[in-house]
Amino acid sequence: MEVPCEFIYDNYTYKCTVSNIDFTHNYKIARFNGEHHRHRSDVNVTIIIFESCFMSSFPKDLVKFFPNLAVVQMSSCGLTEIKKEDLRHYPGLIYLGIIDNELTHLPGDLFKYTPKMEFIDFCNNKISTIGPLIFSSLKNVYGVNLNRNKTVDTHWITNDETSTTKDLVELNKLIRTKCRPLESLKNLAAVKII
């Protein structure tokens, strides 16, 4: 499958924006089509944005095309789940935004392969369960947005680098103390925000 992409350079970043493409059937991306800006190529792309696409799973092969990818955002794509294996190929990811999708659960080990994560945005999904200590392995994270979800409606941002670890422990503690195990999701080690 050849995917049309709008390449945009804004003096700081180089991004690829993909809009209104159906990825729900067995697809394999062969290449991203679009006109690159002068002296730039796929290797310069650090951000990819999917807008109003149809996706049944998180794309796994993007770094094959964009080896320096640091930001992935998926807005209004109908994504229903994400797991650690989906992020295995993205160790350099610093921002993940899955906004206005259909996520209901975040596994506790989701960020196992993305230790450099700095900002996470899951706003406007249907999240009702979160795995315990989901953010505990992240040492660089300064922001988490869980606003406008089914039973989770909170966000956390720190402006002080020295308080990041302490504040993140507080966020995990808040999730843990307000949650109780969901018997129907025992195998996922999930908790429900009350």
Side-chain angles (χ1 to χ4, degrees):
M1 168 182 215
E2 294 194 1
V3 179
C5 177
E6 180 183 3
F7 292 102
I8 300 167
Y9 177 65
D10 67 3
N11 293 327
Y12 298 104
T13 60
Y14 194 46
K15 66 182 169 183
C16 166
T17 301
V18 178
S19 302
N20 301 307
I21 302 294
D22 187 348
F23 292 98
T24 55
H25 302 291
N26 289 328
Y27 70 90
K28 182 171 171 76
I29 298 173
R31 66 181 291 227
F32 285 86
N33 287 332
E35 188 173 325
H36 281 287
H37 287 256
R38 190 178 71 196
H39 306 297
R40 288 180 179 76
S41 65
D42 287 355
V43 73
N44 301 111
V45 173
T46 57
I47 300 171
I48 189 161
I49 299 172
F50 293 93
E51 297 175 335
S52 301
C53 293
F54 301 97
M55 298 185 147
S56 56
S57 63
F58 192 88
K60 294 175 180 57
D61 51 2
L62 298 177
V63 291
K64 179 173 80 174
F65 305 100
F66 309 122
N68 295 308
L69 202 58
V71 173
V72 175
Q73 180 173 312
M74 302 170 72
S75 300
S76 303
C77 293
L79 195 67
T80 59
E81 73 173 347
I82 186 168
K83 40 195 185 307
K84 70 178 178 188
E85 291 80 17
D86 295 332
L87 300 178
R88 178 184 293 270
H89 303 288
Y90 303 97
L93 206 61
I94 60 170
Y95 170 88
L96 176 64
I98 301 182
I99 303 161
D100 194 26
N101 280 274
E102 305 292 321
L103 296 179
T104 59
H105 172 71
L106 298 178
D109 61 356
L110 181 60
F111 300 110
K112 178 179 181 176
Y113 302 114
T114 54
K116 297 179 181 178
M117 194 69 68
E118 294 178 7
F119 196 91
I120 300 157
D121 193 345
F122 290 120
C123 80
N124 204 24
N125 277 276
K126 297 178 179 176
I127 297 169
S128 60
T129 60
I130 297 177
L133 303 176
I134 184 171
F135 309 113
S136 62
S137 66
L138 302 175
K139 306 302 181 214
N140 301 322
V141 72
Y142 67 85
V144 176
N145 186 358
L146 296 167
N147 283 334
R148 297 189 315 270
N149 277 281
K150 188 173 181 181
T151 58
V152 182
D153 190 2
T154 189
H155 69 280
W156 166 79
I157 296 177
T158 185
N159 294 322
D160 180 2
E161 290 179 19
T162 61
S163 66
T164 300
T165 303
K166 178 182 168 241
D167 291 344
L168 196 52
V169 167
E170 291 301 313
L171 177 62
N172 280 318
K173 185 177 177 182
L174 175 70
I175 290 171
R176 191 172 57 249
T177 58
K178 290 191 172 189
C179 300
R180 60 185 167 82
L182 265 182
E183 293 304 314
S184 61
L185 295 174
K186 266 192 243 179
N187 294 336
L188 296 175
V191 289
K192 180 175 183 176
I193 306 293
I194 299 174

